[in-house]
Amino acid sequence: QNEAYCRVSAQLHRIAGRLGCKFALFAWENLRSYDQMHEEVRHILSNSDLVICGSGVAELLVRPYNAHTVRCIQVGVNTVGFCPIDNVSKSHDIVFIGRMTPEKGIEVLKKAAEGRNWKILWPEGRGPYDQLPRRLNRARVHVGHSIDTKFWVEQHGNYSNYEALACGLRVATSHSRCIVEALQGCPGVMFDPQGDDEAMQRTIEILLQQDGLNMEGRKWIEQNYGYAKITAKHLAAFEEMLQQ
């Protein structure tokens, strides 16, 4: 579950070599070329039996060094814990889950909300993770509008988006490349140009006009990112690796 450039990866790679074990890595890296990294990183990457890549961009960076790749996120979504909850009322229009930093789109949401009577559920510190489903269930729309920076780009569809969809919410997100790749075709998801508060405002208004829970979006998440789906993909990849 560690990147090729993590120190523990180098340690485990040496141990696997001594024990005669197969060795698999996980790669989220979607910005830096491995040409820019230490030669030991490229050695570990090239001599891994499998590299599971979290996105298409991550896979493109790995493929010049290792053809044994599978595209799959690291962990599936807990669609049992994250689900619609009957006894929680929809007290808010919008919920924002994530770091209150510009790259997570919070400033864009604040600007989009100007002049609107939206009730927004903002983060309140780091609450218990097991309370997150109830928090999501209090709103109708989740905003997960990630913005690319020079040093950070969203690596997948964003787990807060997945979890919100599993709870039956609709999602307003950005057209960051990996988000679109991960959520294209999911019912109840709309993509806006990064940083465009006017587009976000229109999108949220459209999503708020839609009645009822987004059960089609929940079903889509179960089928594409639920525990069973992701576990099956990992097991299939490991079984193929062991047969090599």
Side-chain angles (χ1 to χ4, degrees):
Q1 299 255 342
N2 291 284
E3 301 272 4
Y5 49 75
C6 293
R7 184 177 180 181
V8 68
S9 296
Q11 294 171 331
L12 291 172
H13 188 256
R14 289 194 292 271
I15 292 170
R18 290 199 296 270
L19 295 177
C21 297
K22 296 284 188 177
F23 184 78
L25 278 173
F26 191 91
W28 277 127
E29 180 59 57
N30 62 349
L31 275 179
R32 290 185 296 164
S33 166
Y34 292 97
D35 285 343
Q36 301 172 14
M37 302 185 197
H38 193 278
E39 61 181 342
E40 185 178 15
V41 175
R42 293 189 291 276
H43 171 76
I44 294 167
L45 196 64
S46 299
N47 289 279
S48 296
D49 298 288
L50 172 67
V51 184
I52 300 178
C53 305
S55 69
V57 182
E59 190 173 37
L60 285 173
L61 293 175
V62 168
R63 293 286 287 185
Y65 304 95
N66 196 319
H68 300 294
T69 63
V70 170
R71 194 184 307 178
C72 185
I73 61 172
Q74 211 165 17
V75 180
V77 178
N78 178 5
T79 56
V80 174
F82 287 89
C83 62
I85 303 175
D86 292 336
N87 63 355
V88 177
S89 64
K90 296 291 184 184
S91 57
H92 291 73
D93 299 302
I94 298 163
V95 60
F96 178 92
I97 301 293
R99 300 192 307 275
M100 297 184 73
T101 54
E103 65 269 21
K104 285 296 185 178
I106 193 165
E107 300 303 328
V108 186
L109 175 55
K110 287 179 179 178
K111 196 167 182 181
E114 291 177 1
R116 292 294 188 273
N117 293 321
W118 297 335
K119 291 190 68 176
I120 302 176
L121 187 57
W122 300 105
E124 297 175 351
R126 292 183 177 273
Y129 183 68
D130 61 2
Q131 292 301 307
L132 187 53
R134 296 187 69 84
R135 190 171 184 81
L136 286 167
N137 270 274
R138 291 167 62 187
R140 297 167 58 198
V141 173
H142 174 254
V143 175
H145 187 93
S146 300
I147 298 174
D148 298 343
T149 72
K150 184 177 179 181
F151 305 103
W152 178 86
V153 173
E154 192 66 73
Q155 296 161 318
H156 58 113
N158 190 328
Y159 273 93
S160 63
N161 284 335
Y162 298 156
E163 291 165 347
L165 286 160
C167 289
L169 277 70
R170 292 171 175 83
V171 166
T173 189
S174 75
H175 73 354
S176 182
R177 178 174 175 178
C178 291
I179 293 180
V180 175
E181 174 190 283
L183 284 171
Q184 188 74 55
C186 179
V189 175
M190 293 183 67
F191 307 95
D192 290 320
Q194 294 177 42
D196 190 334
D197 59 281
E198 292 182 358
M200 179 191 285
Q201 192 177 82
R202 291 191 296 270
T203 288
I204 291 173
E205 293 288 5
I206 290 169
L207 294 175
L208 287 174
Q209 289 170 13
Q210 299 179 33
D211 295 326
L213 293 170
N214 178 22
M215 297 307 291
E216 290 186 1
R218 171 176 167 78
K219 182 178 179 181
W220 193 93
I221 290 295
E222 285 180 307
Q223 293 175 340
N224 290 275
Y225 295 115
Y227 276 169
K229 179 67 175 183
I230 299 306
T231 299
K233 289 187 75 170
H234 280 213
L235 287 173
F238 294 148
E239 287 170 359
E240 184 176 346
M241 175 184 68
L242 292 171
Q243 292 170 8
Q244 293 173 4

